[in-house]
């Protein structure tokens, strides 16, 4: 069974850092683009970042460039999001998502349950 | 960035009736080299992550009931639920994957009358 399980969310002060993890199982992780997306409380969906199968290409939404870093460990079937200089507007549920095989990075065909990040003093 | 808009914001439909959601992109998402529209629809039920329903504007994801259909091309798209069921209560989002950043519409909430 395909599973994406996020962890690492929590309460952090503005300016702080947090590292999210996503453990994948049930598919060949190294064969897929992977992404992070987020959803602020009561709001819509926003794509955050994507990483190619071998980590050689990474893309970010403008609002997180220079603050967030996406990475992966194919040996551990894991995806990460290092979040620095966090702001109140980064408060959201963060989802790990798989890129659809025929399209790649920008179409997300399976999403994890999400982990909540709250940035507040 | 390509801006996605949806209408209506919310929709209340009787069980068994048709529900229609519209989505518009600020520029064409039709890729001329393969004649494919880079447009997807997602369903998000309360407390759950989004679920991919339709991609290439009209291709249903595996396991999605055939009462869900997508249509349109270029900048104007439609998601139709032909006979609304109780389990279809959700927020529906369109998304363009034509280029980076992939962008979502604001969502349409579908409820039962």
């Amino acid at each position: 069974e395909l599973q994406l399980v996020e962890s690492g969310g929590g309460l952090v002060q503005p300016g702080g850092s947090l590292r999210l993890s996503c453990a994948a199982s049930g598919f060949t992780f190294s064969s897929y683009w992977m992404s992070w997306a987020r959803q602020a409380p009561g709001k819509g969906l926003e794509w955050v970042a994507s990483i190619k199968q071998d980590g050689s290409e990474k893309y970010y939404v403008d609002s997180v460039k220079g603050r967030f870093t996406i990475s992966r460990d194919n040996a551990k079937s894991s995806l990460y999001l290092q979040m620095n200089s966090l702001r109140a507007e980064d408060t959201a549920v963060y989802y790990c998502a798989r890129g659809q095989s025929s399209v790649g990075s920008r179409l997300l065909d399976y999403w994890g349950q999400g982990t909540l990040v709250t940035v507040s003093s | 960035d390509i801006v996605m808009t949806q209408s209506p914001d919310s929709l209340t439909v009787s069980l068994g009736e048709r529900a229609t959601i519209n989505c518009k992109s600020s520029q064409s998402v039709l890729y001329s080299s393969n004649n494919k529209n880079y447009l997807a629809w997602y369903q998000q039920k309360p407390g759950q992550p989004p679920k991919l329903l339709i991609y290439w504007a009209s291709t249903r994801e595996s396991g999605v009931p055939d009462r869900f259909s997508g249509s349109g091309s270029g900048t104007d798209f439609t998601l139709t639920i032909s006979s609304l069921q109780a389990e279809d209560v959700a927020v529906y989002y369109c998304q363009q994957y034509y280029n980076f950043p992939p962008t979502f519409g604001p969502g349409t909430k579908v409820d039962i009358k």
Side-chain angles (χ1 to χ4, degrees):
Chain A
E1 180 192 2
L2 195 160
Q3 278 197 311
L4 296 170
V5 180
E6 302 93 339
S7 60
L11 175 64
V12 60
Q13 291 189 339
S17 298
L18 214 53
R19 189 194 195 209
L20 305 184
S21 299
C22 171
S25 60
F27 66 101
T28 306
F29 180 77
S30 59
S31 297
Y32 290 83
W33 280 81
M34 295 297 296
S35 296
W36 289 97
R38 64 185 179 184
Q39 186 169 36
K43 302 297 184 182
L45 300 168
E46 181 182 40
W47 167 82
V48 174
S50 294
I51 185 169
K52 194 176 180 180
Q53 289 91 330
D54 61 0
S56 61
E57 292 181 38
K58 302 177 184 181
Y59 299 90
Y60 300 92
V61 67
D62 282 350
S63 60
V64 309
K65 281 180 184 174
R67 300 189 300 123
F68 289 12
T69 302
I70 188 172
S71 62
R72 64 192 295 161
D73 185 336
N74 287 339
K76 294 183 178 179
S77 296
S78 293
L79 178 72
Y80 306 102
L81 187 67
Q82 177 66 43
M83 304 186 295
N84 299 331
S85 303
L86 282 160
R87 306 167 179 166
E89 53 265 36
D90 295 318
T91 294
V93 173
Y94 283 75
Y95 294 103
C96 167
R98 188 181 77 168
Q100 202 259 13
S101 57
S102 65
V103 174
S105 55
R106 301 183 298 274
L107 177 63
L108 307 178
D109 70 349
Y110 192 80
W111 301 52
Q113 291 295 317
T115 187
L116 176 62
V117 172
T118 303
V119 184
S120 175
S121 54
Chain B
D1 297 1
I2 297 176
V3 177
M4 308 299 292
T5 56
Q6 290 181 231
S7 63
D9 295 336
S10 64
L11 192 57
T12 304
V13 176
S14 300
L15 285 172
E17 294 300 304
R18 178 184 299 261
T20 302
I21 300 168
N22 300 302
C23 173
K24 184 180 287 283
S25 56
S26 61
Q27 65 185 73
S28 177
V29 297
L30 174 62
Y31 195 43
S32 55
S33 65
N34 60 11
N35 201 37
K36 286 181 180 287
N37 287 283
Y38 284 59
L39 189 284
W41 290 96
Y42 296 83
Q43 174 193 63
Q44 187 176 31
K45 296 181 180 181
Q48 295 186 19
K51 173 187 174 184
L52 177 63
L53 289 180
I54 286 172
Y55 57 99
W56 299 134
S58 61
T59 300
R60 271 189 301 275
E61 178 74 328
S62 175
V64 172
D66 61 6
R67 63 179 180 274
F68 291 92
S69 63
S71 62
S73 185
T75 61
D76 293 279
F77 301 91
T78 300
L79 174 69
T80 301
I81 310 172
S82 61
S83 175
L84 192 74
Q85 304 300 304
E87 60 265 32
D88 301 334
V89 169
V91 178
Y92 293 84
Y93 296 92
C94 61
Q95 180 225 335
Q96 66 80 17
Y97 51 100
Y98 183 85
N99 61 13
F100 276 111
T103 47
F104 294 86
T108 295
K109 185 175 182 180
V110 174
D111 216 334
I112 304 291
K113 188 181 292 183

